[in-house]
Structures are given as C-alpha cells and as structure tokens.
Amino acid sequence: MTIRTTFPSGADECTAWLTLPEGPGPHPAVVLVHGGGATHEMMLAQYEKWFSQAGFAVVAFDFRYLGESGGQPRQLVSQRRYAEDVDAALAFARSRPELDPHRIALWGTSFGASHVLAAAARHHDLRAVVVQCPVFSGRAVVFRAGVRHLLRFTAPIAADLTRAALRRPRRYVQLVGEPGEPAFVTQPGALEGWQSVTPPGYRFDNRITAASGLGMLFYNAASAAPRVRCPLLVCACEHENLIDPAIAGRVAATAPGAVLKYYDADHFTVYHPPAVEQIVADQIDFLTTHLLGSGSPGTTNQSGETVTAVDM
C-alpha cells in the first residue's frame, strides 16, 4: 500500500510516497534519495515494491523545485536545500506511527548518494546506509568533460546569478546531452541513460538553473566518509561512465564499517535487468541484517557472493 502525502521542508513542501509492507507496525523504514534532476516517477517505484516485499516501509520523495514538490524557481539544484530535504524526510519518517524511529536506513542512487553520505555523517542514529552507482563528487563529473567544456558555462552562470539577485526569471541550461552539446553532463551514453529511466509518456525536465553548476563544482561529499558511523554498503559499477570508479573505493576505505561491492554494470544499467536483480538482492540482504537483525537466506552467485531472490 502506497500513500501519497507531503512533509514540510524550509518554506515549502516535499511531495512524498509512503509504502507500507504487510503486517502490523511499527516497521523498519528505508528513505530513498534520488539522483541529479530525477524525480519519483523515474524508477523509484520498483525499489518501493522490492523493499516493501522484503518487510521494510519505504519513504520516497521529490526534492524541492523538482517533480511534484513545491519551491521556486523550478529545476533549482541546491546542495544546501537538498540536505534540508533529506533531514526533513528523516524527521517525517520518525514522526509516522507506522514506522519504527529507531530502525531507519537511507538509500541513495547516483548523485543522491552524495546527499545520503553527507546525511549519514550528520545523523549517527541511522541503522544503515546503502548507495548505488554513487557520485560522491560533483566536480569530478564536470571536470571529466574537460576545462574547455566547463568554461562554456561561464556566461550562463554569470547571467543566472545576476537574474537571481534582481529577482528576475532564471537562466537555464541543459542538464544532460550528447557529447559536444551545451549541457552539464555530456559523457557518452549519459543522455540515453537518463532516457532509459524515464517512463513512457513522462516528460523529464532536462534543464537546471545555470548557477546550480557552481554548487556541483564545490560539492565533495566524499570528505564526509570518515564521519559515517553506521554500516554502509557501497554498490559500485565496474563500468562506471560518469565518474572515476576509484572514488567509490576511497570512500569505502575511509568510512568505518563500509562494505564495497562491484557489479558488471555502468551508471545506468544498474536500474535494469540483469544487474538490478543482483544489486537489489544484496541490498535487501544488507538491510535485513541491520534493520531486522539477521541475514536472509540466499544463494551464491558466480562471484561467490550470497544473494537473495528478488521477485521481479
């Protein structure tokens, strides 16, 4: 059962979806945090289904300025405000009588992994954290495209900052595009990857306020890893195509209690079969151990890892 609701964050509200498992509560809960520019409609429903079938309540939400949540201007990407949204989502989860406030985990994908890692460094009462295809450094994504690519946004960023100061309509730029296009993310396959997680008939608003890029440049959540105290599962891609995969390894090496697993996938195939089946099975096993108190029965894959069956 999924309940559509809202919770306050700052002066606005985030639209949220609360999915409850069968049986009496209070239930352990997993709060889902999406990636850059993405909304609830972009693949989160499958995780709500799988995690709730495993016995966890699930809280998903749209960040402010995106999707069905409030906030102006639209398509503003703000690391500070998104951190407030994650904190507000945790407060919402702890306030619900159906959920156990002492058994809450965070789950983050792509750029959402940065917000989750930073939140885990702030909230030492979390029971577990899971991240997949993690983007722990905004500037690592931008710099991978080269300095010349970065310089082409100087004028749009300056114009957007001026418009914001004058309270005028914002200057927008494309978020993701083909190599060579004037978009922030232009790695080969990125546009097709974003499209692969967009359901038929859903309009992905492929733009952000230009000045949002400054926040991405100075956002390095990897530095928060040593302050994470709860168990952390890092699900990294062997063929990561947005960011240097070694960054995930360094985060896992510096976060106490971290477990690092690599998968035969790139940044976008992690959402689709066959990779998603193994990844989610490992995530459920990890969450079961730390939220329910014991590991779930599983089978052994070709890599010798124990995985749990997932009903696709």
Side-chain angles (χ1 to χ4, degrees), residues 25-207:
H27 305 284
V30 183
V31 177
L32 306 184
V33 181
H34 220 325
T39 65
H40 173 264
E41 295 303 309
M42 299 167 71
M43 302 297 280
L44 285 192
Q46 63 180 1
Y47 299 97
E48 292 170 330
K49 170 189 171 184
W50 296 328
F51 291 152
S52 63
Q53 287 178 341
F56 311 112
V58 184
V59 175
F61 66 97
D62 282 344
F63 283 114
R64 283 177 293 170
Y65 319 105
L66 298 179
E68 298 189 33
S69 290
Q72 292 290 339
R74 303 309 294 172
Q75 300 303 118
L76 171 67
V77 176
S78 166
Q79 318 315 327
R80 176 178 61 82
R81 293 177 179 88
Y82 284 8
E84 294 172 353
D85 292 350
V86 174
D87 289 349
L90 289 172
F92 167 78
R94 294 183 181 114
S95 73
R96 297 289 303 198
E98 310 97 320
L99 310 185
D100 185 343
H102 304 295
R103 291 188 294 164
I104 294 179
L106 275 176
W107 177 97
T109 186
S110 189
F111 206 38
S114 278
H115 310 314
V116 163
L117 191 71
R122 299 191 302 271
H123 297 272
H124 292 168
D125 56 341
L126 290 170
R127 291 288 292 269
V129 168
V130 174
V131 295
Q132 65 176 27
C133 55
V135 175
F136 289 130
S137 171
R139 64 174 172 264
V141 175
V142 178
F143 282 141
R144 196 169 193 179
V147 175
R148 181 178 297 180
H149 173 76
L150 179 62
L151 290 176
R152 71 195 309 180
F153 295 103
T154 302
I157 289 173
D160 189 40
L161 289 172
T162 301
R163 287 172 173 265
L166 298 175
R167 299 186 181 276
R168 295 179 59 194
R170 300 295 290 268
R171 170 74 160 85
Y172 288 92
V173 296
Q174 193 173 336
L175 172 59
V176 58
E178 298 285 2
E181 289 186 344
F184 269 114
V185 181
T186 58
Q187 277 84 344
L191 181 59
E192 292 81 2
W194 249 275
Q195 293 169 341
S196 76
V197 299
T198 304
Y202 180 75
R203 179 182 174 272
F204 166 52
D205 195 344
N206 186 17
R207 60 182 184 138

Side-chain angles (χ1 to χ4, degrees), residues 129-134 136 232-240 245-253 257-266 270 275 277-287 289-290 295-296 298-308:
V129 168
V130 174
V131 295
Q132 65 176 27
C133 55
F136 289 130
L232 167 66
L233 174 62
V234 179
C235 301
C237 307
E238 291 179 344
H239 312 292
E240 178 60 60
I247 296 176
R250 291 197 293 270
V251 166
V259 176
L260 174 64
K261 292 193 175 186
Y262 283 96
Y263 299 88
D264 184 15
D266 66 26
V270 295
E277 299 169 352
Q278 179 186 351
I279 295 169
V280 171
D282 287 349
Q283 292 174 357
I284 288 174
D285 190 63
F286 183 82
L287 291 169
T289 297
H290 297 290
S296 57
T299 58
T300 302
N301 63 21
Q302 293 179 348
S303 301
E305 298 169 334
T306 299
V307 299
T308 312

